[in-house]
């Protein structure tokens, strides 16, 4: 087994240092080493998007990133989306629009939507569908998810996201 | 039994209720949008080991030997198990709520006995300190196989010279001219239903259309892989954390397979990341328990995605022959069908349900249904949302569309003329209670969608109907009234799509209190009464009914306590749900919150109990309209617009009812256009990943417009009908009919993926 490495990152605004094996993915380290189970594993090969996190503001499948690559990166996960003041507009919109059924894909979808709205505060339906195409949901048929993102955009999600 | 409160003839719940029909935020919502909800793989226990499963590379082979010695010697490995670690299972049939299973087959499916019957069949398992180490240990297990020829197609498997999966299997023939044979066969059972004299009726028919259809194997595709964590105690008791549609069903299967007393198995449900029928039968749960027993440590087993595709229940591929005859006025006079389902490695498949659904939407006086349950070298098929209904709806509704064309009759008019109504007797013998099929057809006819003409080249519109019978079965809840006037509602139905809300809302409605004052908890098998699976679209119906009974029990107890406080006879005290108050003689009154506080301080606790075991779930029907555009160059079909009308009985939480309809439609669209198990000749699935299997993404779809038609179910206090399953049935047929309108080709194979559609277009063009 290769030697373990120390990696220094920022996760949800706080500096985090962890020890990992070179073969461990960032998803595995988040879940197994750091006990941050909000990021979900659906396929471990980048197909389903359940493990989406933000790295330096970009939506990324954390199962496709090796943990050692995270050195110096700024990572955001679902655990950091709500604040002490309450839920993020996207989270509120997902609840109000009934945009989740089983909920396993929800953290990943919220992270992808957050990245989209930060970049494009007033997306069209087409742009929302394109931005979320990497996040599979098997329960909802996506209708209410798209509406939730539209609703969050209207609530001024972009300003809240900053 | 409670008296039904719903207006038996009314067509809408609107305005009738305080809580029912509103759209509150679901009780488990915040945990699920913040990442705090714990799903199967999120369990972490002290000293926990990680399990991994060795799977067969062959689709059909005899196991000659398994040598686990090298794996056992690897540092960090704590246990290695094979089928020998399970006691001999008997040929007993276990009822699992939605479908049943032979325990001997179940045991061999969990870890293969003498044969492997599909690629990915579990053969051995390891528990080690880390997942990586467990997988390394798998590489050290030596299995000697004698490969056998696989059979992968239902028709080939039915032939006399087909490779045989189970040498001791003989066909059970339910037809009147049944003959017994001692020949081994892949056909487990032949179903037979007949009503009237279909042969004579076809003689007199004006138009007869007979076609053959095939559908590919598809998977439920839940995003969360199966995950189970077992703790074994030295006194022989088990605690199992698992993501399942039914904790009590898991308890039963694990106890039977491991030879444990039922009550020594405690199943704790985690949240469940989708199931759709696929998380009822156990796969890894008994493996985790056996590994925990052998290692003495907690063991977690999580499936990888490829194994979910290769080794958990898909829905059967099928072959169907469909023949319908109509008179000159367009009335169906006769139907005749043969349906063969691939049950996979073991019987049984949902063929029985397929037989019940195939003619469900029409009044067919003379008809015959023959069904075959056939083993092939694929994973054992499992329930998938209205199991069996989608395949047969594709055949029936496609032939109906052809008949409409020959008659020159609008498909809506044809359906209104022939639709099943209250009293219609299905060919398999069941007569309907009050149902709402006609209302769904009328809702589509009157919809803005159907009233708007579709223009443009290569575009077409299709219509289809579908059915699911729904289930009742058993549920239990308890309700504790707390001193703050809120109620803790304890239930056993795992919540896949918002059922905490739909159950709490019926409870709140019955007491006249706000839904937010009900705090639901889904608990383990030691903490609530027996509750069947979250399946069969039964939870809002049956567990909702149990909650209604529990609320009535709370009403009675509150009245008794108030009578004691007032020192009057309890017959003088009534519960007024309009005011959420207990009322007595001389204008005496306690508000719910006031009495809850008083009772908590000065009386016995109020704990309501409700159970249900009713069997009038009220079948559900849907009628869908779809507009498509076909690219004649590539054969790609784009969904332009989709409207689904469904009789939902009473929409308890309309948003989640709409969600069930939309989600079911999109699974049906995936089944129609993309999804299939693609096998090579050796029986290896070549597309065991989401990317290659290709479920619909957000970008493939338009909005899905649901129309909720409410024809209250007379068999439920609030008129609830199951809603989850029926919406998956109509889409493939509706889309096939739309493709015909668009480009003039009749698609009779699923999926209608670009190569298949293009093939038909090119064939038509010569």
């Amino acid at each position: 087994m290769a030697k373990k490495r120390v990696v220094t990152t920022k996760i949800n605004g706080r500096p985090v240092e962890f020890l990992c094996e070179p073969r461990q993915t960032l998803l595995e380290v988040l879940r197994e080493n750091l006990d941050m189970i909000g990021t979900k594993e659906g396929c471990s090969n980048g197909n389903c998007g359940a493990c989406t996190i933000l790295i330096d503001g970009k939506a990324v499948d954390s199962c496709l990133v090796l943990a050692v690559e995270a050195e110096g990166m700024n990572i955001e996960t679902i655990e950091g989306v709500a604040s002490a003041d309450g839920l993020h507009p996207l989270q509120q919109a997902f609840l109000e629009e009934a945009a989740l059924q089983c909920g396993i894909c929800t953290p990943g979808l919220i992270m992808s939507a957050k990245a989209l709205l930060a970049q494009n505060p007033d997306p069209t339906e087409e742009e929302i569908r394109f931005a979320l195409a990497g996040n599979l949901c098997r329960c909802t048929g996506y209708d209410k998810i798209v509406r939730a993102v539209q609703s969050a955009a209207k609530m001024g999600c972009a300003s809240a996201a900053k | 039994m409670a008296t039904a409160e719903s207006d038996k003839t009314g067509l809408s719940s609107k305005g009738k209720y305080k809580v029912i029909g509103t759209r509150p935020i679901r009780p488990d919502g915040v945990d699920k949008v913040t990442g705090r909800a714990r799903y199967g793989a999120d369990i972490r226990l002290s000293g926990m080991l990680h399990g991994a499963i060795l799977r067969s590379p062959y689709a059909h082979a005899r196991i000659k030997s398994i040598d686990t010695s090298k794996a056992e010697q690897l540092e960090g490995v704590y246990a290695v198990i094979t089928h020998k670690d399970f006691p001999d299972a008997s040929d007993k049939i276990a009822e699992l709520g939605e479908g049943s299973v032979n325990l001997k087959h179940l045991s061999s499916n969990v870890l293969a006995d003498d044969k492997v019957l599909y690629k990915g069949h579990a053969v051995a398992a390891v528990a080690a300190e880390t997942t990586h180490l467990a997988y390394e240990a798998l590489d050290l297990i030596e299995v000697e196989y004698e490969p056998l020829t696989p059979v992968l197609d239902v028709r080939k498997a039915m032939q006399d010279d087909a490779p045989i999966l189970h040498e001791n299997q003989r066909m059970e023939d339910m037809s009147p001219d049944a003959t017994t044979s001692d020949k081994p066969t892949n056909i487990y059972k032949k179903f037979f239903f007949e009503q009237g004299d279909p042969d004579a009726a076809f003689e007199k028919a004006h138009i007869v259309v007979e076609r053959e259809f095939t559908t590919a194997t598809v998977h439920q595709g839940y995003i969360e892989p199966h995950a189970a964590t077992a703790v074994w105690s030295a006194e022989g008791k088990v605690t199992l954390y698992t993501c399942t549609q039914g904790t009590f069903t898991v308890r039963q299967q694990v106890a039977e397979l491991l030879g444990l007393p039922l009550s020594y198995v405690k199943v704790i449900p985690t949240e469940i990341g989708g199931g759709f029928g696929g998380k009822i039968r156990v796969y890894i749960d008994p493996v985790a328990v056996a590994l925990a027993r052998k290692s003495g440590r907690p063991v977690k087993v999580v499936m990888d995605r490829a194994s979910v595709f290769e080794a958990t229940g898909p829905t059967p591929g099928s072959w169907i022959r469909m023949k319908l005859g109509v008179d000159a006025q367009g009335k169906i006079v006769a139907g005749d069908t043969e349906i063969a389902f691939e049950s996979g490695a073991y019987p049984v498949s949902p063929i029985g349900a397929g037989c019940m659904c195939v003619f469900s939407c029409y009044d067919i006086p003379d008809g015959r249904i023959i069904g075959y349950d056939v083993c092939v070298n694929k994973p054992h098929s499992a329930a998938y949302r209205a199991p069996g209904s989608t395949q047969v709806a594709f055949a029936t509704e496609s032939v109906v569309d052809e008949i409409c064309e020959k008659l020159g009759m609008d498909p809506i008019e044809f359906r209104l003329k022939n639709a099943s109504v209250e009293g219609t007797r299905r060919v398999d013998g069941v007569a309907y209670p009050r149902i709402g099929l006609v209302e769904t057809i009328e809702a589509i006819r009157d919809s803005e969608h159907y009233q708007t003409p579709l223009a443009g080249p290569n575009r077409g519109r299709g219509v289809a109907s579908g059915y699911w019978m729904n289930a009742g079965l058993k549920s239990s809840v308890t309700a504790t009234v707390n001193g703050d006037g809120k109620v803790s509602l304890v239930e056993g139905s795992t919540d896949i799509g918002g059922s905490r809300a739909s159950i709490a809302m019926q409870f709140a409605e019955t007491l006249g209190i706000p839904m937010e004052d009900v705090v639901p908890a889904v608990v383990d098998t030691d903490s609530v009464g027996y509750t069947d699976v979250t399946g069969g679209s039964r939870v809002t119906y049956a567990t909702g009914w149990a909650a209604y009974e529990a609320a009535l029990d709370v009403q009675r107890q509150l009245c008794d306590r108030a009578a004691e406080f007032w020192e009057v006879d309890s017959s003088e005290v009534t519960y007024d749900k309009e005011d959420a108050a207990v009322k007595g003689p001389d204008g005496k009154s306690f508000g719910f919150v006031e009495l809850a506080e008083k009772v908590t301080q000065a009386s016995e606790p109020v704990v309501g109990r409700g159970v249900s075991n009713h069997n009038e779930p009220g079948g559900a029907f849907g009628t869908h309209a779809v507009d498509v555009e076909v690219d004649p160059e590539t054969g790609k079909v784009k969904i332009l617009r989709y409207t689904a009308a469904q009789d939902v009985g009473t929409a308890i939480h309309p948003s989640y009812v709409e969600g069930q309809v939309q989600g079911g439609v999109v699974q049906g669209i995936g089944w129609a256009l993309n999804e299939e198990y693609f096998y090579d000749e050796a029986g290896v699935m070549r597309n065991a990943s989401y990317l290659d299997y290709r479920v619909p993404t957000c970008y493939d779809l338009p909005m899905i417009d649901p129309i909720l038609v409410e024809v209250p179910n007379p068999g439920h206090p609030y008129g609830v009908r199951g809603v989850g399953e029926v919406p998956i049935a109509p889409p493939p047929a509706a889309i096939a009919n739309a493709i015909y309108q668009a480009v003039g080709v009749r698609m009779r194979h699923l999926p209608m993926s670009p190569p298949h559609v293009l093939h038909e277009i090119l064939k038509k063009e010569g």
Side-chain angles (χ1 to χ4, degrees):
Chain A
M1 198 194 302
K3 222 178 134 197
K4 288 191 177 180
R5 312 286 173 91
V6 177
V7 177
T8 306
T9 61
K10 202 188 235 187
I11 301 181
N12 298 327
R14 288 175 182 272
V16 175
E17 199 176 73
F18 59 78
L19 193 63
C20 69
E21 292 176 34
R23 66 180 171 184
Q24 285 187 290
T25 65
L26 185 52
L27 171 63
E28 185 184 343
V29 166
L30 285 171
R31 290 179 54 84
E32 302 295 326
N33 302 31
L34 302 175
D35 203 16
M36 296 176 72
I37 50 91
T39 302
K40 302 302 178 191
E41 176 176 339
C43 68
S44 261
N45 58 10
N47 292 172
C48 80
C51 67
T52 305
I53 59 170
L54 305 190
I55 296 182
D56 299 334
K58 268 183 75 175
V60 172
D61 290 327
S62 60
C63 71
L64 296 184
V65 180
L66 288 172
V68 292
E69 295 179 285
E71 176 67 37
M73 287 176 174
N74 186 9
I75 294 167
E76 290 170 74
T77 71
I78 188 68
E79 285 92 346
V81 175
S83 69
D85 302 333
L87 296 178
H88 185 278
L90 268 166
Q91 293 170 316
Q92 193 61 35
F94 266 65
L95 293 180
E96 285 170 7
E97 299 289 333
L100 60 146
Q101 285 179 30
C102 81
I104 192 87
C105 70
T106 308
L109 273 157
I110 287 176
M111 298 316 289
S112 288
K114 189 166 183 277
L116 167 70
L117 295 183
Q119 202 181 43
N120 179 358
D122 187 22
T124 62
E125 182 187 332
E126 167 96 0
E127 286 166 341
I128 293 171
R129 288 185 179 277
F130 187 76
L132 301 184
N135 291 81
L136 300 180
C137 167
R138 192 60 161 168
C139 293
T140 65
Y142 304 103
D143 183 299
K144 292 184 189 302
I145 292 172
V146 174
R147 289 179 202 276
V149 177
Q150 288 173 327
S151 159
K154 274 201 202 104
M155 282 193 264
C157 185
S159 54
K162 279 168 189 158
Chain B
M1 188 196 288
T3 323
E5 285 188 2
S6 58
D7 175 357
K8 293 191 180 190
T9 54
L11 282 183
S12 172
S13 66
K14 286 174 191 69
K16 277 172 67 178
Y17 301 115
K18 271 165 82 173
V19 180
I20 289 172
T22 62
R23 300 176 187 241
I25 286 176
R26 59 193 282 177
D28 52 331
V30 170
D31 279 353
K32 285 178 177 165
V33 299
T34 54
R36 280 218 305 272
R38 297 216 163 226
Y39 291 82
D42 299 337
I43 298 300
R44 293 164 60 90
L45 303 173
S46 303
M48 187 175 81
L49 302 175
H50 297 264
I53 294 176
L54 182 68
R55 296 181 179 279
S56 167
Y58 297 105
H60 195 189
R62 211 172 294 285
I63 298 175
K64 298 183 77 175
S65 67
I66 304 177
D67 182 354
T68 59
S69 54
K70 284 182 189 153
E72 284 159 15
Q73 283 154 22
L74 186 69
E75 182 75 26
V77 168
Y78 283 73
V80 183
I81 60 165
T82 66
H83 189 79
K84 291 194 174 66
D85 289 86
F86 290 155
D88 266 343
S90 62
D91 255 325
K92 196 173 136 190
I93 304 293
E95 284 298 332
L96 302 183
E98 195 165 58
S100 57
V101 69
N102 175 313
L103 290 166
K104 200 176 182 62
H105 293 155
L106 182 63
S107 178
S108 314
N109 195 36
V110 165
L111 281 176
D113 190 0
D114 55 337
K115 273 177 97 176
V116 287
L117 297 169
Y118 53 95
K119 159 77 166 67
H121 197 153
V123 171
V126 170
E129 271 169 3
T130 70
T131 309
H132 297 288
L133 201 56
Y135 277 95
E136 281 173 25
L138 293 186
D139 291 340
L140 300 175
I141 298 174
E142 289 165 5
V143 185
E144 197 186 340
Y145 295 98
E146 177 196 337
L148 303 168
T149 308
V151 59
L152 298 156
D153 174 83
V154 66
R155 277 164 298 175
K156 287 183 187 152
M158 290 171 77
Q159 288 166 6
D160 280 344
D161 57 349
I164 296 293
L165 275 75
H166 303 282
E167 286 81 2
N168 58 359
Q169 181 167 291
R170 306 290 179 270
M171 183 173 81
E172 183 186 344
D173 189 342
M174 295 169 73
S175 62
D177 53 353
T179 51
T180 50
S181 161
D182 198 38
K183 201 171 141 41
T185 170
N186 291 319
I187 307 173
Y188 176 70
K189 201 174 201 176
K190 179 181 177 183
F191 288 80
F192 185 92
F193 301 96
E194 194 172 64
Q195 164 166 283
D197 186 347
D199 298 322
F202 275 115
E203 291 288 318
K204 287 182 262 174
H206 174 62
I207 295 170
V208 175
V209 174
E210 182 173 16
R211 301 285 180 244
E212 286 185 33
F213 298 84
T214 50
T215 71
T217 307
V218 302
H219 196 272
Q220 294 81 350
Y222 34 81
I223 307 295
E224 180 201 34
H226 300 252
T229 307
V231 185
W232 178 266
S233 83
E235 56 187 333
K237 292 182 178 172
V238 176
T239 303
L240 181 64
Y241 300 79
T242 187
C243 49
T244 177
Q245 290 179 242
T247 50
F248 287 88
T249 309
V250 170
R251 181 179 75 164
Q252 177 194 358
Q253 294 174 83
V254 167
E256 300 263 21
L257 291 188
L258 289 153
L260 302 168
L262 197 67
S263 302
Y264 282 11
V265 180
K266 172 178 173 176
V267 179
I268 304 177
T270 65
E271 296 302 327
I272 169 172
F276 314 107
K279 286 183 182 160
I280 297 174
R281 185 193 303 142
V282 296
Y283 299 97
I284 55 175
D285 304 80
V287 173
V289 174
L291 287 170
R293 177 168 63 183
K294 201 159 185 173
S295 67
R297 299 262 293 262
V299 177
K300 175 158 89 174
V301 181
V302 181
M303 264 197 201
D304 59 77
R305 177 53 53 185
S307 299
V308 173
F309 277 118
E310 290 184 336
T312 69
T315 196
S318 71
W319 169 86
I320 301 165
R321 179 185 60 77
M322 171 57 57
K323 182 181 178 186
L324 288 174
V326 296
D327 67 18
Q329 287 74 46
K331 176 77 189 73
I332 300 178
V333 294
D336 176 30
T337 186
E338 263 182 293
I339 311 159
F341 275 8
E342 294 170 354
S343 69
Y346 302 96
V348 298
S349 76
I351 180 66
C355 291
M356 292 161 81
C357 293
V358 65
F359 289 143
S360 55
C361 293
Y362 300 98
D363 177 18
I364 300 178
D366 296 274
R368 183 186 304 118
I369 302 165
I370 296 170
Y372 297 96
D373 196 32
V374 185
C375 293
V376 297
N377 292 108
K378 296 182 182 179
H380 184 190
S381 69
Y384 177 25
R385 203 168 201 154
S389 188
T390 306
Q391 292 96 327
V392 297
F394 176 54
T396 309
E397 297 294 292
S398 295
V399 168
V400 161
D401 202 66
E402 261 194 79
I403 287 174
C404 291
E405 186 197 5
K406 287 184 197 299
L407 285 165
M409 193 183 265
D410 179 80
I412 293 285
E413 188 191 340
F414 180 88
R415 281 177 176 78
L416 286 173
K417 199 181 183 86
N418 289 285
S420 293
V421 294
E422 182 171 0
T424 299
R425 186 168 291 282
R426 278 202 323 247
V427 174
D428 62 299
V430 174
Y432 287 117
R434 178 74 172 94
I435 51 172
L437 173 58
V438 166
E439 287 82 351
T440 68
I441 301 167
E442 289 170 343
I444 288 296
R445 179 195 61 197
D446 300 339
S447 66
E448 198 261 333
H449 179 173
Y450 203 72
Q451 294 293 327
T452 306
L454 177 65
N458 303 312
R459 292 181 165 192
R461 174 170 295 165
V463 173
S465 297
Y467 168 73
W468 183 245
M469 46 284 227
N470 296 331
L473 304 173
K474 298 179 180 66
S475 288
S476 310
V477 307
T478 53
T480 303
V481 178
N482 300 319
D484 60 358
K486 300 188 196 305
V487 183
S488 303
L489 189 66
V490 171
E491 56 204 49
S493 290
T494 49
D495 182 353
I496 298 195
S499 59
R500 282 181 182 89
S502 69
I503 295 164
M505 288 172 76
Q506 293 177 71
F507 182 85
E509 181 71 42
T510 311
L511 286 171
I513 61 176
M515 184 268 201
E516 292 73 16
D517 286 356
V518 183
V519 182
V522 177
V523 300
D524 65 76
T525 48
D526 284 358
S527 307
V528 67
Y530 182 85
T531 301
D532 273 306
V533 294
T534 298
S537 301
R538 63 172 288 280
V539 168
T540 299
Y541 168 82
T543 310
W545 195 328
Y548 165 79
E549 295 288 352
L552 293 181
D553 195 19
V554 167
Q555 283 188 9
R556 280 190 293 271
Q557 293 180 37
L558 288 175
C559 287
D560 289 348
R561 301 295 190 282
E564 285 168 27
F565 291 133
W566 290 326
E567 298 181 346
V568 301
D569 192 83
S570 58
S571 66
E572 294 181 82
V573 180
T574 55
Y575 191 88
D576 180 348
K577 72 170 203 166
E578 288 308 310
D579 294 347
V582 175
K583 293 186 176 168
D586 311 322
K588 288 188 173 66
S589 175
F590 277 126
F592 184 87
V593 178
E594 185 189 0
L595 185 55
E597 192 183 350
K598 200 168 165 59
V599 162
T600 308
Q601 286 166 358
S603 180
E604 293 163 15
V606 172
V607 182
R609 151 190 187 282
V611 294
S612 71
N613 185 23
H614 300 288
N615 203 19
E616 311 93 46
F621 291 86
T623 301
H624 297 189
V626 60
D627 297 346
V628 305
E629 182 173 299
V630 182
D631 181 345
E633 301 291 320
T634 64
K636 186 174 189 306
V637 177
K638 185 176 169 63
I639 307 289
L640 301 173
R641 187 170 186 183
Y642 205 107
T643 304
Q646 186 173 320
D647 170 20
V648 302
T650 300
I652 301 294
H653 191 309
S655 296
Y656 285 98
V657 174
E658 290 161 5
Q660 287 294 322
V661 175
Q662 292 164 333
V665 164
V666 167
Q667 285 189 319
I669 290 173
W671 196 336
L673 294 181
N674 308 313
E675 298 177 35
E676 68 178 307
Y677 272 45
F678 190 85
Y679 281 97
D680 65 18
E681 282 182 5
V684 175
M685 183 183 179
R686 301 305 296 266
N687 60 337
S689 73
Y690 271 131
L691 187 67
D692 296 323
Y693 176 77
R694 194 61 175 83
V695 303
T697 75
C698 202
Y699 200 57
D700 298 325
L701 299 158
M703 294 294 188
I704 308 296
D705 299 323
I707 301 175
L708 306 187
V709 176
E710 294 188 304
V711 179
N713 171 17
H716 185 275
Y718 292 119
V720 170
R721 290 177 197 273
V723 298
E725 288 168 283
V726 66
I728 199 174
I735 292 167
N737 296 340
I739 291 172
Y740 178 74
Q741 294 299 323
V743 289
V745 296
R746 288 278 177 198
M747 297 305 301
R748 300 196 180 98
H749 171 75
L750 298 183
M752 299 176 285
S753 52
H756 288 123
V757 175
L758 188 60
H759 178 80
E760 292 301 321
I761 291 172
L762 294 175
K763 209 165 78 181
K764 176 178 160 248
E765 287 170 355

